[in-house]
Amino acid sequence: MFISTIGGFKMLDGFKQFLLRGNVVDLAVGVVIGAAFGKIVETLVSSFITPLIAAIGGQPDFSGLYFTINNSKFMYGQFINAVVSFLIIAAVVYFLVVLPVNALISQARKEPSPDPTTKKCPECASEIPITARRCPFCTSVLVGSPTK
């Protein structure tokens, strides 16, 4: 009722267009996939990597590591797990996203530029067509221009 009094459903149409724009949908998909990937990495670290490191170091679970100051527990083991998870996610993003994108950008920059269609007049420095025999600005005859 309130929406119809301030312009009908045009406000909802604009919101619908905003949501269906490619960037918003891509961002939403990226956030959902990123959250799911973060959970997978967190489970990988707590289930496989931490026990593997613990087998070498002797501590079975980092998440249980803590120290106490004035009856306050500081869970530095959970922090170690979070750092390992972050490093894995950062490495995956770097090697699977950043490096390929940088390679594509550098490859695109190496492509030769198209043949020029203009040149500078030697007398007045104006941009003129490359096939011009006379400069349209200063009317000087251009030496070395193609003739008919």
Side-chain angles (χ1 to χ4, degrees):
M1 185 93 177
F2 177 70
I3 294 175
S4 64
T5 60
I6 59 171
F9 289 101
K10 292 186 185 229
M11 182 187 296
L12 290 179
D13 289 341
F15 185 67
K16 179 181 168 186
Q17 288 176 348
F18 170 74
L19 287 179
L20 295 178
R21 222 179 337 180
N23 297 345
V24 175
V25 174
D26 292 344
L27 179 63
V29 169
V31 167
V32 169
I33 289 174
F37 181 71
K39 276 296 202 189
I40 289 171
V41 170
E42 185 179 320
T43 304
L44 172 75
V45 168
S46 65
S47 299
F48 294 104
I49 295 176
T50 302
L52 182 64
I53 294 172
I56 297 169
Q59 180 67 30
D61 185 14
F62 288 154
S63 64
L65 296 176
Y66 68 93
F67 64 90
T68 306
I69 298 178
N70 292 334
N71 295 325
S72 296
K73 282 187 178 181
F74 293 88
M75 307 292 288
Y76 70 90
Q78 291 177 347
F79 179 74
I80 291 172
N81 281 346
V83 168
V84 171
S85 295
F86 170 77
L87 291 175
I88 291 172
I89 291 172
V92 167
V93 167
Y94 179 75
F95 289 111
L96 296 181
V97 177
V98 174
L99 281 181
V101 168
N102 286 345
L104 287 173
I105 289 172
S106 67
Q107 190 177 38
R109 288 183 182 157
K110 289 181 182 177
E111 291 179 6
S113 60
D115 292 334
T117 58
T118 61
K119 62 181 178 181
K120 288 203 179 269
C121 173
E123 295 293 323
C124 68
S126 299
E127 286 289 321
I128 57 174
I130 201 157
T131 57
R133 293 184 289 159
R134 263 186 199 271
C135 176
F137 301 101
C138 67
T139 68
S140 65
V141 177
L142 302 171
V143 179
S145 295
T147 57
K148 290 185 180 180

